[in-house]
Amino acid sequence: MPSTILAVDDSPSMREMIAFLLRSAGYEVVEACDGEQALKIAKSRQLDMILTDQNMPKVDGLALVSELRAMSAYRDTPIVILSTEASAEMKQKGREAGATAWISKPFDPDKL
């Protein structure tokens, strides 16, 4: 059974591109349009990895990471923030929230 990755981004075109790349690599992909929807999905099924944008309405990436890390099911799950935000300060906030890694947009599809 392939690993299941949650792709969270408020941009439909970005979500579609990420989902296409990951599905092409053999992963099952679940999509969410914001952090609020991502939390509902995370509570309803187990995910193997989460890729999230930072700047989103309702629940942003940092808040999503913090909320996921508070759940026992996601304490050790890889969570990667994929964002146009690239400052050292934002990346530090991501680490403090519990993000596993930070990838800046635009990103290299091979790196993903």
Side-chain angles (χ1 to χ4, degrees), residues 13-108:
S13 59
M14 182 58 70
R15 264 196 330 272
E16 286 173 22
M17 183 179 71
I18 292 167
F20 174 78
L21 289 168
L22 295 172
R23 286 184 182 119
S24 297
Y27 295 99
E28 179 185 344
V29 180
V30 180
E31 298 177 45
C33 63
D34 60 40
E36 188 175 80
Q37 185 182 31
L39 286 168
K40 287 179 187 166
I41 292 168
K43 290 174 184 173
S44 70
R45 61 182 298 176
Q46 185 59 43
L47 303 159
D48 300 303
M49 182 178 181
I50 295 132
L51 282 172
T52 182
D53 186 20
Q54 164 51 25
N55 298 315
M56 298 180 292
K58 299 179 185 171
V59 177
D60 70 14
L62 293 174
L64 174 60
V65 172
S66 294
E67 293 214 32
L68 288 168
R69 289 296 186 221
M71 297 179 206
S72 59
Y74 293 103
R75 284 209 183 101
D76 300 318
T77 303
I79 303 175
V80 176
I81 296 177
L82 199 60
S83 180
T84 54
E85 295 273 354
S87 71
E89 180 184 350
M90 280 304 290
K91 290 179 181 180
Q92 180 60 33
K93 286 182 180 179
R95 280 190 292 277
E96 289 168 4
T100 309
W102 189 292
I103 299 175
S104 298
K105 291 180 191 173
F107 61 92
D108 177 349

